[in-house]
Amino acid sequence: MELKAVIVEDEANSREILRNYLSKYCENVTLLGEGSTIEEGLRQIKKHHPDLVFLDVEMPFGNAFDLLDQIPDRTFETIFVTAYNQYAMDALNHHAAYYLMKPINIDELIKAVDYVRAIKEKENALEGQVLQARPVRAEGKITLPQQDGFQVLDVSGIYFCKADDNYTEIYLEKKKIVVSKTLKYFEEALQSYSFARIHKSYLVNVAEVVKYKKGKGGSVVLSNGKELSVSASRKADLLSYFQ
């Protein structure tokens, strides 16, 4: 997998060496930004949301641990690159993935990057099992994938879902949630519940239908007052819920 990286190092020569080593010896590492101070490093990290940060320990006006303390909920892995070995315990306490000593040994750098890649691949595999819209063990709930994790939602709280190209708008009582999945995806995810596809654009919670208006396809009125069209080809499926 590709790793997005940021370098935070106050010495220009050290940044150049690491940049060149990454380009020449570490495949699928994309360097997105560099910083020479804690403040610049924080800006680069917040801007690029990297998978990996190469971090020198001693910098002007502070050190690497001051930077990490300002990002308590970080999702990136950290490789320390330093000329001082006395910080190893502090690095361990800050959950560093690897500790490289200067001058950088190329084999150790490759090993460190591969180690981080293995961590990230394992995380992605685990998230791939969880971050999808599907019923969970808790009765009547579904998980919705989001950029920073997933949201657990009561299925009974969904009035209807509306297609918006490759996105789906999920309408609740007081808000709308937009998820980067197709309506077909949610039709399959909610198939064990009473949800009916009434139109190419709509998937409705049948429990919220309070009225059906006749027509070639007709329309339904939901308990929140929203009226949605029913396509002729979907009419029979909808009415089967009320027979």
Side-chain angles (χ1 to χ4, degrees), residues 142-147 150-154 157-158 160-164 167-181 186:
I142 190 173
T143 59
L144 302 181
Q146 296 180 331
Q147 186 173 3
F150 65 90
Q151 180 176 353
V152 181
L153 197 65
D154 285 317
I158 301 174
F160 69 98
C161 303
K162 180 182 178 181
D164 182 11
Y167 292 81
T168 297
E169 299 173 352
I170 300 176
Y171 287 82
L172 310 175
E173 182 177 5
K174 296 182 179 180
K175 66 177 180 179
K176 175 181 72 175
I177 300 173
V178 180
V179 182
S180 59
K181 296 292 183 182
F186 282 98

PDB file of all heavy atoms in Angstrom, residues 142-147 150-154 157-158 160-164 167-181 186:
ATOM      1  N   ILE A 142     -27.258  -0.369  12.635  1.00  0.00           N
ATOM      2  CA  ILE A 142     -26.454  -0.509  11.430  1.00  0.00           C
ATOM      3  C   ILE A 142     -25.251   0.426  11.559  1.00  0.00           C
ATOM      4  O   ILE A 142     -25.337   1.473  12.197  1.00  0.00           O
ATOM      5  CB  ILE A 142     -27.281  -0.161  10.166  1.00  0.00           C
ATOM      6  CG1 ILE A 142     -26.518  -0.532   8.893  1.00  0.00           C
ATOM      7  CG2 ILE A 142     -27.678   1.306  10.146  1.00  0.00           C
ATOM      8  CD1 ILE A 142     -27.355  -0.379   7.628  1.00  0.00           C
ATOM      9  N   THR A 143     -24.117   0.023  10.985  1.00  0.00           N
ATOM     10  CA  THR A 143     -22.940   0.889  11.000  1.00  0.00           C
ATOM     11  C   THR A 143     -22.866   1.667   9.688  1.00  0.00           C
ATOM     12  O   THR A 143     -23.118   1.127   8.611  1.00  0.00           O
ATOM     13  CB  THR A 143     -21.643   0.084  11.184  1.00  0.00           C
ATOM     14  OG1 THR A 143     -21.511  -0.857  10.116  1.00  0.00           O
ATOM     15  CG2 THR A 143     -21.642  -0.636  12.521  1.00  0.00           C
ATOM     16  N   LEU A 144     -22.492   2.949   9.789  1.00  0.00           N
ATOM     17  CA  LEU A 144     -22.328   3.796   8.622  1.00  0.00           C
ATOM     18  C   LEU A 144     -20.862   4.209   8.530  1.00  0.00           C
ATOM     19  O   LEU A 144     -20.331   4.807   9.471  1.00  0.00           O
ATOM     20  CB  LEU A 144     -23.194   5.054   8.725  1.00  0.00           C
ATOM     21  CG  LEU A 144     -24.698   4.854   8.880  1.00  0.00           C
ATOM     22  CD1 LEU A 144     -25.389   6.212   8.937  1.00  0.00           C
ATOM     23  CD2 LEU A 144     -25.258   4.032   7.733  1.00  0.00           C
ATOM     24  N   PRO A 145     -20.184   3.888   7.418  1.00  0.00           N
ATOM     25  CA  PRO A 145     -18.769   4.259   7.282  1.00  0.00           C
ATOM     26  C   PRO A 145     -18.608   5.766   7.185  1.00  0.00           C
ATOM     27  O   PRO A 145     -19.375   6.454   6.524  1.00  0.00           O
ATOM     28  CB  PRO A 145     -18.352   3.570   5.984  1.00  0.00           C
ATOM     29  CG  PRO A 145     -19.623   3.407   5.214  1.00  0.00           C
ATOM     30  CD  PRO A 145     -20.699   3.199   6.231  1.00  0.00           C
ATOM     31  N   GLN A 146     -17.610   6.294   7.871  1.00  0.00           N
ATOM     32  CA  GLN A 146     -17.266   7.705   7.802  1.00  0.00           C
ATOM     33  C   GLN A 146     -15.763   7.830   7.666  1.00  0.00           C
ATOM     34  O   GLN A 146     -15.022   6.878   7.899  1.00  0.00           O
ATOM     35  CB  GLN A 146     -17.760   8.447   9.056  1.00  0.00           C
ATOM     36  CG  GLN A 146     -19.283   8.442   9.191  1.00  0.00           C
ATOM     37  CD  GLN A 146     -19.762   9.170  10.430  1.00  0.00           C
ATOM     38  OE1 GLN A 146     -19.063   9.234  11.436  1.00  0.00           O
ATOM     39  NE2 GLN A 146     -20.969   9.706  10.365  1.00  0.00           N
ATOM     40  N   GLN A 147     -15.284   9.014   7.309  1.00  0.00           N
ATOM     41  CA  GLN A 147     -13.868   9.200   7.050  1.00  0.00           C
ATOM     42  C   GLN A 147     -13.014   8.903   8.273  1.00  0.00           C
ATOM     43  O   GLN A 147     -11.912   8.370   8.169  1.00  0.00           O
ATOM     44  CB  GLN A 147     -13.606  10.625   6.580  1.00  0.00           C
ATOM     45  CG  GLN A 147     -12.171  10.864   6.147  1.00  0.00           C
ATOM     46  CD  GLN A 147     -11.985  12.223   5.533  1.00  0.00           C
ATOM     47  OE1 GLN A 147     -12.912  13.013   5.480  1.00  0.00           O
ATOM     48  NE2 GLN A 147     -10.784  12.506   5.062  1.00  0.00           N
ATOM     49  N   PHE A 150     -16.681   5.048  12.073  1.00  0.00           N
ATOM     50  CA  PHE A 150     -18.034   4.681  11.675  1.00  0.00           C
ATOM     51  C   PHE A 150     -19.020   5.141  12.736  1.00  0.00           C
ATOM     52  O   PHE A 150     -18.677   5.336  13.893  1.00  0.00           O
ATOM     53  CB  PHE A 150     -18.179   3.173  11.417  1.00  0.00           C
ATOM     54  CG  PHE A 150     -17.984   2.303  12.641  1.00  0.00           C
ATOM     55  CD1 PHE A 150     -19.060   1.961  13.455  1.00  0.00           C
ATOM     56  CD2 PHE A 150     -16.733   1.818  12.973  1.00  0.00           C
ATOM     57  CE1 PHE A 150     -18.890   1.165  14.566  1.00  0.00           C
ATOM     58  CE2 PHE A 150     -16.548   1.020  14.095  1.00  0.00           C
ATOM     59  CZ  PHE A 150     -17.630   0.693  14.893  1.00  0.00           C
ATOM     60  N   GLN A 151     -20.248   5.351  12.300  1.00  0.00           N
ATOM     61  CA  GLN A 151     -21.334   5.750  13.185  1.00  0.00           C
ATOM     62  C   GLN A 151     -22.308   4.600  13.315  1.00  0.00           C
ATOM     63  O   GLN A 151     -22.607   3.915  12.332  1.00  0.00           O
ATOM     64  CB  GLN A 151     -22.056   6.992  12.638  1.00  0.00           C
ATOM     65  CG  GLN A 151     -23.207   7.476  13.499  1.00  0.00           C
ATOM     66  CD  GLN A 151     -23.818   8.759  12.962  1.00  0.00           C
ATOM     67  OE1 GLN A 151     -23.292   9.354  12.024  1.00  0.00           O
ATOM     68  NE2 GLN A 151     -24.920   9.197  13.535  1.00  0.00           N
ATOM     69  N   VAL A 152     -22.803   4.368  14.533  1.00  0.00           N
ATOM     70  CA  VAL A 152     -23.803   3.331  14.766  1.00  0.00           C
ATOM     71  C   VAL A 152     -25.168   4.000  14.814  1.00  0.00           C
ATOM     72  O   VAL A 152     -25.382   4.949  15.577  1.00  0.00           O
ATOM     73  CB  VAL A 152     -23.524   2.568  16.075  1.00  0.00           C
ATOM     74  CG1 VAL A 152     -24.576   1.477  16.284  1.00  0.00           C
ATOM     75  CG2 VAL A 152     -22.133   1.955  16.045  1.00  0.00           C
ATOM     76  N   LEU A 153     -26.081   3.504  14.006  1.00  0.00           N
ATOM     77  CA  LEU A 153     -27.377   4.152  13.841  1.00  0.00           C
ATOM     78  C   LEU A 153     -28.511   3.172  14.113  1.00  0.00           C
ATOM     79  O   LEU A 153     -28.437   2.000  13.738  1.00  0.00           O
ATOM     80  CB  LEU A 153     -27.489   4.666  12.400  1.00  0.00           C
ATOM     81  CG  LEU A 153     -28.557   5.711  12.088  1.00  0.00           C
ATOM     82  CD1 LEU A 153     -28.247   7.010  12.824  1.00  0.00           C
ATOM     83  CD2 LEU A 153     -28.570   5.966  10.588  1.00  0.00           C
ATOM     84  N   ASP A 154     -29.558   3.642  14.787  1.00  0.00           N
ATOM     85  CA  ASP A 154     -30.772   2.850  14.962  1.00  0.00           C
ATOM     86  C   ASP A 154     -31.513   2.804  13.632  1.00  0.00           C
ATOM     87  O   ASP A 154     -31.880   3.852  13.084  1.00  0.00           O
ATOM     88  CB  ASP A 154     -31.679   3.468  16.028  1.00  0.00           C
ATOM     89  CG  ASP A 154     -31.163   3.230  17.431  1.00  0.00           C
ATOM     90  OD1 ASP A 154     -30.724   2.106  17.707  1.00  0.00           O
ATOM     91  OD2 ASP A 154     -31.200   4.168  18.249  1.00  0.00           O
ATOM     92  N   GLY A 157     -34.741   4.655  13.251  1.00  0.00           N
ATOM     93  CA  GLY A 157     -34.706   6.108  13.165  1.00  0.00           C
ATOM     94  C   GLY A 157     -34.573   6.632  11.748  1.00  0.00           C
ATOM     95  O   GLY A 157     -34.614   7.847  11.524  1.00  0.00           O
ATOM     96  N   ILE A 158     -34.417   5.733  10.777  1.00  0.00           N
ATOM     97  CA  ILE A 158     -34.282   6.140   9.380  1.00  0.00           C
ATOM     98  C   ILE A 158     -35.670   6.265   8.750  1.00  0.00           C
ATOM     99  O   ILE A 158     -36.464   5.327   8.787  1.00  0.00           O
ATOM    100  CB  ILE A 158     -33.459   5.116   8.586  1.00  0.00           C
ATOM    101  CG1 ILE A 158     -32.056   4.969   9.193  1.00  0.00           C
ATOM    102  CG2 ILE A 158     -33.354   5.536   7.109  1.00  0.00           C
ATOM    103  CD1 ILE A 158     -31.225   3.866   8.558  1.00  0.00           C
ATOM    104  N   PHE A 160     -36.082   7.599   5.337  1.00  0.00           N
ATOM    105  CA  PHE A 160     -35.850   7.131   3.971  1.00  0.00           C
ATOM    106  C   PHE A 160     -34.424   7.466   3.565  1.00  0.00           C
ATOM    107  O   PHE A 160     -33.734   8.276   4.202  1.00  0.00           O
ATOM    108  CB  PHE A 160     -36.853   7.739   2.984  1.00  0.00           C
ATOM    109  CG  PHE A 160     -36.701   9.219   2.736  1.00  0.00           C
ATOM    110  CD1 PHE A 160     -36.018   9.706   1.629  1.00  0.00           C
ATOM    111  CD2 PHE A 160     -37.258  10.133   3.612  1.00  0.00           C
ATOM    112  CE1 PHE A 160     -35.887  11.056   1.399  1.00  0.00           C
ATOM    113  CE2 PHE A 160     -37.146  11.500   3.393  1.00  0.00           C
ATOM    114  CZ  PHE A 160     -36.454  11.973   2.279  1.00  0.00           C
ATOM    115  N   CYS A 161     -33.976   6.825   2.485  1.00  0.00           N
ATOM    116  CA  CYS A 161     -32.654   7.072   1.908  1.00  0.00           C
ATOM    117  C   CYS A 161     -32.851   7.558   0.479  1.00  0.00           C
ATOM    118  O   CYS A 161     -33.707   7.051  -0.251  1.00  0.00           O
ATOM    119  CB  CYS A 161     -31.806   5.801   1.903  1.00  0.00           C
ATOM    120  SG  CYS A 161     -31.577   5.039   3.533  1.00  0.00           S
ATOM    121  N   LYS A 162     -32.048   8.522   0.093  1.00  0.00           N
ATOM    122  CA  LYS A 162     -32.170   9.108  -1.240  1.00  0.00           C
ATOM    123  C   LYS A 162     -30.844   9.020  -1.981  1.00  0.00           C
ATOM    124  O   LYS A 162     -29.792   9.345  -1.432  1.00  0.00           O
ATOM    125  CB  LYS A 162     -32.600  10.575  -1.132  1.00  0.00           C
ATOM    126  CG  LYS A 162     -32.765  11.278  -2.468  1.00  0.00           C
ATOM    127  CD  LYS A 162     -33.151  12.737  -2.274  1.00  0.00           C
ATOM    128  CE  LYS A 162     -33.264  13.465  -3.610  1.00  0.00           C
ATOM    129  NZ  LYS A 162     -33.623  14.901  -3.425  1.00  0.00           N
ATOM    130  N   ALA A 163     -30.897   8.603  -3.227  1.00  0.00           N
ATOM    131  CA  ALA A 163     -29.698   8.483  -4.043  1.00  0.00           C
ATOM    132  C   ALA A 163     -29.219   9.847  -4.507  1.00  0.00           C
ATOM    133  O   ALA A 163     -30.013  10.725  -4.844  1.00  0.00           O
ATOM    134  CB  ALA A 163     -29.978   7.597  -5.255  1.00  0.00           C
ATOM    135  N   ASP A 164     -27.906  10.027  -4.492  1.00  0.00           N
ATOM    136  CA  ASP A 164     -27.278  11.233  -5.018  1.00  0.00           C
ATOM    137  C   ASP A 164     -25.983  10.801  -5.688  1.00  0.00           C
ATOM    138  O   ASP A 164     -24.907  10.871  -5.101  1.00  0.00           O
ATOM    139  CB  ASP A 164     -27.014  12.232  -3.892  1.00  0.00           C
ATOM    140  CG  ASP A 164     -26.401  13.535  -4.395  1.00  0.00           C
ATOM    141  OD1 ASP A 164     -26.381  13.732  -5.626  1.00  0.00           O
ATOM    142  OD2 ASP A 164     -25.937  14.343  -3.569  1.00  0.00           O
ATOM    143  N   TYR A 167     -23.368   8.777  -3.860  1.00  0.00           N
ATOM    144  CA  TYR A 167     -23.597   9.039  -2.453  1.00  0.00           C
ATOM    145  C   TYR A 167     -25.041   8.691  -2.099  1.00  0.00           C
ATOM    146  O   TYR A 167     -25.903   8.561  -2.973  1.00  0.00           O
ATOM    147  CB  TYR A 167     -23.340  10.513  -2.112  1.00  0.00           C
ATOM    148  CG  TYR A 167     -21.895  10.924  -2.209  1.00  0.00           C
ATOM    149  CD1 TYR A 167     -21.323  11.238  -3.441  1.00  0.00           C
ATOM    150  CD2 TYR A 167     -21.094  10.987  -1.076  1.00  0.00           C
ATOM    151  CE1 TYR A 167     -19.988  11.610  -3.538  1.00  0.00           C
ATOM    152  CE2 TYR A 167     -19.752  11.369  -1.160  1.00  0.00           C
ATOM    153  CZ  TYR A 167     -19.215  11.677  -2.391  1.00  0.00           C
ATOM    154  OH  TYR A 167     -17.904  12.032  -2.476  1.00  0.00           O
ATOM    155  N   THR A 168     -25.294   8.529  -0.814  1.00  0.00           N
ATOM    156  CA  THR A 168     -26.658   8.314  -0.332  1.00  0.00           C
ATOM    157  C   THR A 168     -26.930   9.272   0.811  1.00  0.00           C
ATOM    158  O   THR A 168     -26.122   9.419   1.729  1.00  0.00           O
ATOM    159  CB  THR A 168     -26.857   6.863   0.164  1.00  0.00           C
ATOM    160  OG1 THR A 168     -26.681   5.966  -0.933  1.00  0.00           O
ATOM    161  CG2 THR A 168     -28.257   6.673   0.746  1.00  0.00           C
ATOM    162  N   GLU A 169     -28.083   9.947   0.725  1.00  0.00           N
ATOM    163  CA  GLU A 169     -28.529  10.820   1.802  1.00  0.00           C
ATOM    164  C   GLU A 169     -29.487  10.030   2.686  1.00  0.00           C
ATOM    165  O   GLU A 169     -30.489   9.493   2.211  1.00  0.00           O
ATOM    166  CB  GLU A 169     -29.247  12.048   1.233  1.00  0.00           C
ATOM    167  CG  GLU A 169     -28.372  12.901   0.334  1.00  0.00           C
ATOM    168  CD  GLU A 169     -29.144  14.011  -0.347  1.00  0.00           C
ATOM    169  OE1 GLU A 169     -30.396  14.032  -0.240  1.00  0.00           O
ATOM    170  OE2 GLU A 169     -28.515  14.869  -0.985  1.00  0.00           O
ATOM    171  N   ILE A 170     -29.170   9.937   3.967  1.00  0.00           N
ATOM    172  CA  ILE A 170     -29.993   9.199   4.918  1.00  0.00           C
ATOM    173  C   ILE A 170     -30.749  10.208   5.780  1.00  0.00           C
ATOM    174  O   ILE A 170     -30.121  11.019   6.473  1.00  0.00           O
ATOM    175  CB  ILE A 170     -29.140   8.271   5.797  1.00  0.00           C
ATOM    176  CG1 ILE A 170     -28.402   7.257   4.909  1.00  0.00           C
ATOM    177  CG2 ILE A 170     -29.997   7.552   6.831  1.00  0.00           C
ATOM    178  CD1 ILE A 170     -27.457   6.358   5.653  1.00  0.00           C
ATOM    179  N   TYR A 171     -32.073  10.159   5.728  1.00  0.00           N
ATOM    180  CA  TYR A 171     -32.900  11.148   6.414  1.00  0.00           C
ATOM    181  C   TYR A 171     -33.411  10.591   7.740  1.00  0.00           C
ATOM    182  O   TYR A 171     -34.102   9.573   7.784  1.00  0.00           O
ATOM    183  CB  TYR A 171     -34.070  11.567   5.530  1.00  0.00           C
ATOM    184  CG  TYR A 171     -33.640  12.456   4.382  1.00  0.00           C
ATOM    185  CD1 TYR A 171     -33.110  11.902   3.215  1.00  0.00           C
ATOM    186  CD2 TYR A 171     -33.727  13.839   4.476  1.00  0.00           C
ATOM    187  CE1 TYR A 171     -32.692  12.714   2.169  1.00  0.00           C
ATOM    188  CE2 TYR A 171     -33.319  14.658   3.433  1.00  0.00           C
ATOM    189  CZ  TYR A 171     -32.799  14.091   2.285  1.00  0.00           C
ATOM    190  OH  TYR A 171     -32.386  14.899   1.259  1.00  0.00           O
ATOM    191  N   LEU A 172     -33.046  11.302   8.809  1.00  0.00           N
ATOM    192  CA  LEU A 172     -33.513  10.979  10.149  1.00  0.00           C
ATOM    193  C   LEU A 172     -34.534  12.028  10.572  1.00  0.00           C
ATOM    194  O   LEU A 172     -34.899  12.909   9.775  1.00  0.00           O
ATOM    195  CB  LEU A 172     -32.330  10.940  11.118  1.00  0.00           C
ATOM    196  CG  LEU A 172     -31.127  10.088  10.676  1.00  0.00           C
ATOM    197  CD1 LEU A 172     -29.984  10.237  11.669  1.00  0.00           C
ATOM    198  CD2 LEU A 172     -31.524   8.634  10.516  1.00  0.00           C
ATOM    199  N   GLU A 173     -34.969  11.968  11.811  1.00  0.00           N
ATOM    200  CA  GLU A 173     -36.015  12.898  12.249  1.00  0.00           C
ATOM    201  C   GLU A 173     -35.574  14.356  12.159  1.00  0.00           C
ATOM    202  O   GLU A 173     -36.322  15.215  11.695  1.00  0.00           O
ATOM    203  CB  GLU A 173     -36.430  12.583  13.684  1.00  0.00           C
ATOM    204  CG  GLU A 173     -37.559  13.475  14.198  1.00  0.00           C
ATOM    205  CD  GLU A 173     -38.007  13.110  15.595  1.00  0.00           C
ATOM    206  OE1 GLU A 173     -37.382  12.218  16.206  1.00  0.00           O
ATOM    207  OE2 GLU A 173     -38.974  13.703  16.087  1.00  0.00           O
ATOM    208  N   LYS A 174     -34.344  14.633  12.588  1.00  0.00           N
ATOM    209  CA  LYS A 174     -33.914  16.027  12.658  1.00  0.00           C
ATOM    210  C   LYS A 174     -32.662  16.341  11.850  1.00  0.00           C
ATOM    211  O   LYS A 174     -32.174  17.468  11.898  1.00  0.00           O
ATOM    212  CB  LYS A 174     -33.676  16.431  14.116  1.00  0.00           C
ATOM    213  CG  LYS A 174     -34.935  16.399  14.974  1.00  0.00           C
ATOM    214  CD  LYS A 174     -34.624  16.856  16.396  1.00  0.00           C
ATOM    215  CE  LYS A 174     -35.885  16.853  17.253  1.00  0.00           C
ATOM    216  NZ  LYS A 174     -35.603  17.289  18.651  1.00  0.00           N
ATOM    217  N   LYS A 175     -32.138  15.374  11.132  1.00  0.00           N
ATOM    218  CA  LYS A 175     -30.932  15.651  10.365  1.00  0.00           C
ATOM    219  C   LYS A 175     -30.796  14.696   9.191  1.00  0.00           C
ATOM    220  O   LYS A 175     -31.531  13.712   9.069  1.00  0.00           O
ATOM    221  CB  LYS A 175     -29.693  15.563  11.254  1.00  0.00           C
ATOM    222  CG  LYS A 175     -29.396  14.178  11.803  1.00  0.00           C
ATOM    223  CD  LYS A 175     -28.103  14.196  12.625  1.00  0.00           C
ATOM    224  CE  LYS A 175     -27.790  12.818  13.183  1.00  0.00           C
ATOM    225  NZ  LYS A 175     -26.516  12.817  13.955  1.00  0.00           N
ATOM    226  N   LYS A 176     -29.834  15.020   8.341  1.00  0.00           N
ATOM    227  CA  LYS A 176     -29.517  14.207   7.170  1.00  0.00           C
ATOM    228  C   LYS A 176     -28.045  13.819   7.248  1.00  0.00           C
ATOM    229  O   LYS A 176     -27.192  14.635   7.582  1.00  0.00           O
ATOM    230  CB  LYS A 176     -29.789  15.003   5.896  1.00  0.00           C
ATOM    231  CG  LYS A 176     -29.373  14.302   4.614  1.00  0.00           C
ATOM    232  CD  LYS A 176     -29.648  15.181   3.397  1.00  0.00           C
ATOM    233  CE  LYS A 176     -28.695  16.346   3.319  1.00  0.00           C
ATOM    234  NZ  LYS A 176     -28.868  17.138   2.077  1.00  0.00           N
ATOM    235  N   ILE A 177     -27.755  12.558   6.950  1.00  0.00           N
ATOM    236  CA  ILE A 177     -26.379  12.062   6.921  1.00  0.00           C
ATOM    237  C   ILE A 177     -26.048  11.673   5.483  1.00  0.00           C
ATOM    238  O   ILE A 177     -26.832  10.980   4.826  1.00  0.00           O
ATOM    239  CB  ILE A 177     -26.191  10.843   7.840  1.00  0.00           C
ATOM    240  CG1 ILE A 177     -26.535  11.201   9.289  1.00  0.00           C
ATOM    241  CG2 ILE A 177     -24.769  10.309   7.753  1.00  0.00           C
ATOM    242  CD1 ILE A 177     -26.527  10.001  10.229  1.00  0.00           C
ATOM    243  N   VAL A 178     -24.909  12.129   4.999  1.00  0.00           N
ATOM    244  CA  VAL A 178     -24.470  11.787   3.640  1.00  0.00           C
ATOM    245  C   VAL A 178     -23.329  10.781   3.739  1.00  0.00           C
ATOM    246  O   VAL A 178     -22.346  11.016   4.442  1.00  0.00           O
ATOM    247  CB  VAL A 178     -24.016  13.034   2.868  1.00  0.00           C
ATOM    248  CG1 VAL A 178     -23.565  12.640   1.462  1.00  0.00           C
ATOM    249  CG2 VAL A 178     -25.144  14.058   2.793  1.00  0.00           C
ATOM    250  N   VAL A 179     -23.475   9.659   3.029  1.00  0.00           N
ATOM    251  CA  VAL A 179     -22.491   8.578   3.070  1.00  0.00           C
ATOM    252  C   VAL A 179     -22.030   8.287   1.643  1.00  0.00           C
ATOM    253  O   VAL A 179     -22.835   8.258   0.712  1.00  0.00           O
ATOM    254  CB  VAL A 179     -23.079   7.300   3.709  1.00  0.00           C
ATOM    255  CG1 VAL A 179     -22.036   6.208   3.794  1.00  0.00           C
ATOM    256  CG2 VAL A 179     -23.642   7.602   5.089  1.00  0.00           C
ATOM    257  N   SER A 180     -20.753   8.048   1.471  1.00  0.00           N
ATOM    258  CA  SER A 180     -20.203   7.808   0.130  1.00  0.00           C
ATOM    259  C   SER A 180     -20.393   6.359  -0.302  1.00  0.00           C
ATOM    260  O   SER A 180     -19.431   5.638  -0.588  1.00  0.00           O
ATOM    261  CB  SER A 180     -18.714   8.185   0.091  1.00  0.00           C
ATOM    262  OG  SER A 180     -17.996   7.431   1.044  1.00  0.00           O
ATOM    263  N   LYS A 181     -21.648   5.946  -0.332  1.00  0.00           N
ATOM    264  CA  LYS A 181     -22.041   4.627  -0.843  1.00  0.00           C
ATOM    265  C   LYS A 181     -23.304   4.808  -1.679  1.00  0.00           C
ATOM    266  O   LYS A 181     -24.084   5.739  -1.472  1.00  0.00           O
ATOM    267  CB  LYS A 181     -22.321   3.658   0.316  1.00  0.00           C
ATOM    268  CG  LYS A 181     -21.118   3.334   1.197  1.00  0.00           C
ATOM    269  CD  LYS A 181     -20.075   2.515   0.459  1.00  0.00           C
ATOM    270  CE  LYS A 181     -18.918   2.136   1.373  1.00  0.00           C
ATOM    271  NZ  LYS A 181     -17.873   1.376   0.663  1.00  0.00           N
ATOM    272  N   PHE A 186     -27.084   0.387   0.214  1.00  0.00           N
ATOM    273  CA  PHE A 186     -27.937   0.423   1.402  1.00  0.00           C
ATOM    274  C   PHE A 186     -29.172  -0.461   1.259  1.00  0.00           C
ATOM    275  O   PHE A 186     -29.681  -0.992   2.240  1.00  0.00           O
ATOM    276  CB  PHE A 186     -28.334   1.869   1.721  1.00  0.00           C
ATOM    277  CG  PHE A 186     -27.236   2.627   2.396  1.00  0.00           C
ATOM    278  CD1 PHE A 186     -26.410   3.466   1.663  1.00  0.00           C
ATOM    279  CD2 PHE A 186     -26.986   2.466   3.747  1.00  0.00           C
ATOM    280  CE1 PHE A 186     -25.371   4.143   2.274  1.00  0.00           C
ATOM    281  CE2 PHE A 186     -25.945   3.140   4.367  1.00  0.00           C
ATOM    282  CZ  PHE A 186     -25.135   3.973   3.629  1.00  0.00           C
TER     283      PHE A 186
END
